[in-house]
């Protein structure tokens, strides 16, 4: 794909240069890498979420503070390689564990960004080019190839997920509620269904890829038990427990079959039977005042859960009974949390501007 990102990248770097330029204040003596930026777009933990630091450097003079992070993909074998999908600045890539970043030429509004778990050189990403939502595929150093396009302007590919056991199978959801699937790496697609609201989450069951969960923005939670052939609404039991809470994210447990978490404006809810029954996690009560848009579960220890609400990140090591907290010194909110697949001591928080 020959997408020109020069003007957008120039704007990003210009804004960054102004933010990280020298001044006459005492902060000049603080190394650029250690200054706290209220507009920071990335927080990174190297101790499993016990502490967090900003990781926004391009070099000693420039940062990625202007970026609003919509998606994150971590290399399945090398946690030092991290991709960020942004709202207006394409894709950002780190090869050194978020120590520094570089721009990858791509479209805007990158809500979906995934790597083939069997062949991490194969990247899939959604984006908006000339107001049209598309999905692209890139292998190694090759060019981006368009593999899917929406028929009208103003739609976004709001969710994208790849089967962890079969990198040729992907599901995509749109801001219009449409769900599509490919079984051959994007060569062809088929319709799965249409939900009432934008699709915000697609997540695969830990043990059976044929079980897939779908979340609507402030709407319902759905599951397919047969690889998308049928969709079942599993919201009624959730609403009974959550008092009709609005859904903001859905995440399948990475270890236990049939276990799924839902982040809402009334806390976090968990099901261990594929959505037939639900229980509320004992999250900190004050965090329920804010929508929980980001949840992550340690891929090697399901009792370790991290979530974000308002201007704080919360971590539990006992399955959600007790929580430690970390204050966010930023103007942005956490939009996505992601563990390193092979090194869960490393967690990345992508910050975004929320309306």
């Amino acid at each position: 794909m020959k997408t020109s990102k020069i003007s957008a990248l120039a704007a990003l770097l210009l804004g960054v240069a102004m933010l990280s330029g020298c001044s006459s204040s005492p902060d000049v003596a603080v190394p650029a890498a250690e200054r706290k930026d209220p507009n920071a777009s990335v927080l990174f933990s190297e101790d499993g979420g016990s502490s967090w630091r900003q990781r926004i450097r391009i070099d000693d003079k420039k940062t990625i503070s202007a970026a609003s992070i919509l998606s994150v993909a971590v290399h399945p074998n090398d946690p030092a390689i991290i991709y960020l999908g942004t709202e207006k600045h394409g894709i950002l890539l780190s090869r050194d564990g978020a120590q520094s970043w570089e721009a990858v030429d791509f479209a805007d509004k990158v809500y979906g960004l995934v790597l083939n778990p069997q062949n991490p050189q194969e990247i899939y990403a959604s984006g908006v080019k000339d107001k049209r939502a598309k999905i692209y595929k890139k292998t190694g150093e090759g060019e981006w190839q368009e593999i899917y396009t929406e028929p009208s302007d103003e739609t976004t590919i709001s969710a994208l997920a790849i089967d962890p056991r079969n990198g040729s199978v992907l599901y995509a959801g749109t801001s219009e509620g449409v769900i599509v699937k490919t079984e051959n790496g994007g060569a062809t697609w088929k319709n799965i269904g249409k939900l009432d609201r934008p699709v915000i989450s697609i997540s695969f069951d830990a043990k059976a890829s044929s079980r897939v969960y779908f979340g609507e923005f402030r709407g319902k939670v759905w599951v397919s038990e047969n690889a998308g052939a049928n969709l079942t609404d599993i919201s009624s039991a959730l609403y009974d427990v959550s008092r009709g809470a609005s859904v903001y994210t859905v995440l399948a447990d990475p270890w236990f079959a049939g276990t799924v978490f839902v982040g809402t404006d009334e806390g976090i809810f968990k099901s261990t039977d594929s959505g037939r029954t639900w229980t509320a996690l004992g999250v900190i009560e004050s965090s329920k005042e804010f929508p929980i848009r980001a949840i992550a579960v340690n891929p090697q220890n399901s009792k370790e859960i991290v979530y974000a609400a308002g201007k704080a990140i919360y971590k539990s090591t006992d399955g959600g009974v007790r929580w430690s907290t970390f204050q966010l010194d930023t103007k942005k909110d956490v939009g996505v949390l992601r563990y390193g697949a092979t090194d869960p001591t490393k967690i990345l928080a992508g910050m975004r501007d929320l309306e």
Side-chain angles (χ1 to χ4, degrees):
M1 180 188 70
K2 303 292 186 179
T3 307
S4 175
K5 302 292 296 178
I6 296 177
S7 59
L9 181 57
L12 171 64
L13 298 185
L14 177 60
V16 158
M18 294 175 65
L19 284 170
S20 54
C22 294
S23 69
S24 58
S25 70
D27 289 341
V28 168
V30 179
E34 298 180 12
R35 295 176 196 157
K36 288 187 177 181
D37 187 337
N39 295 297
S41 52
V42 173
L43 296 179
F44 196 73
S45 175
E46 295 183 285
D47 54 15
S50 296
S51 63
W52 298 79
R53 291 188 177 183
Q54 296 180 2
R55 289 288 177 84
I56 56 176
R57 293 178 55 218
I58 290 178
D59 55 37
D60 288 338
K61 295 182 179 180
K62 302 181 182 69
T63 74
I64 59 170
S65 289
S68 185
I69 310 303
L70 304 180
S71 55
V72 174
V74 181
H75 194 287
N77 305 319
D78 185 352
I81 300 176
I82 305 168
Y83 294 83
L84 305 178
T86 73
E87 185 173 9
K88 297 180 180 178
H89 301 103
I91 294 173
L92 298 168
L93 167 63
S94 177
R95 305 175 192 273
D96 54 13
Q99 296 287 348
S100 62
W101 300 93
E102 60 188 80
V104 176
D105 191 38
F106 195 69
D108 292 333
K109 296 187 185 303
V110 191
Y111 284 97
L113 183 59
V114 294
L115 307 182
N116 184 335
Q118 287 81 47
N119 178 18
Q121 292 295 310
E122 194 170 86
I123 308 170
Y124 295 87
S126 66
V128 175
K129 176 177 169 56
D130 299 327
K131 298 184 178 181
R132 190 65 57 86
K134 301 175 183 291
I135 300 174
Y136 297 92
K137 177 180 180 179
K138 184 176 185 291
T139 303
E141 299 301 320
E143 297 288 326
W144 289 103
Q145 302 294 323
E146 180 183 320
I147 59 173
Y148 177 85
T149 185
E150 274 291 286
S152 61
D153 294 348
E154 307 304 335
T155 302
T156 58
I157 307 293
S158 49
L160 183 67
I162 191 166
D163 187 331
R165 297 170 185 80
N166 184 349
S168 295
V169 175
L170 295 94
Y171 292 80
T174 78
S175 55
E176 296 298 315
V178 173
I179 302 172
V180 295
K181 175 187 179 181
T182 179
E183 297 174 327
N184 50 22
T188 59
W189 297 81
K190 66 180 180 180
N191 190 64
I192 296 301
K194 186 179 187 305
L195 308 185
D196 295 329
R197 295 173 178 266
V199 183
I200 53 168
S201 300
I202 304 173
S203 193
F204 291 89
D205 186 83
K207 303 300 182 182
S209 295
S210 57
R211 180 182 295 132
V212 191
Y213 299 95
F214 303 89
E216 296 177 355
F217 177 62
R218 302 184 67 179
K220 299 177 180 179
V221 182
W222 301 76
V223 65
S224 175
E225 297 282 358
N226 48 16
N230 301 102
L231 295 175
T232 301
D233 180 2
I234 55 174
S235 304
S236 58
L238 171 64
Y239 292 159
D240 290 342
V241 176
S242 69
R243 297 177 296 178
S246 293
V247 172
Y248 284 86
T249 189
V250 177
L251 176 70
D253 187 288
W255 191 256
F256 290 106
T259 300
V260 59
F261 298 86
V262 175
T264 76
D265 58 353
E266 294 286 347
I268 300 176
F269 298 87
K270 177 182 178 180
S271 174
T272 57
D273 55 10
S274 305
R276 288 185 289 276
T277 60
W278 298 85
T279 58
L281 291 192
V283 301
I284 301 299
E285 189 68 24
S286 57
S287 71
K288 296 180 183 180
E289 297 179 10
F290 305 91
I292 296 177
R293 304 173 186 270
I295 306 171
V297 179
N298 185 329
Q300 298 178 13
N301 176 12
S302 289
K303 289 188 176 181
E304 183 176 304
I305 305 166
V306 179
Y307 77 94
K311 301 297 182 184
I313 293 176
Y314 301 80
K315 176 188 175 182
S316 174
T317 58
D318 57 10
V321 178
R322 291 176 290 268
W323 302 87
S324 56
T325 66
F326 180 84
Q327 176 181 325
L328 301 179
D329 296 315
T330 66
K331 294 180 180 178
K332 298 174 183 175
D333 291 323
V334 177
V336 59
L337 288 163
R338 191 76 75 243
Y339 272 93
T342 58
D343 185 357
T345 64
K346 295 179 170 58
I347 314 173
L348 186 141
M351 316 297 290
R352 61 180 291 191
D353 298 309
L354 295 171
E355 297 180 357

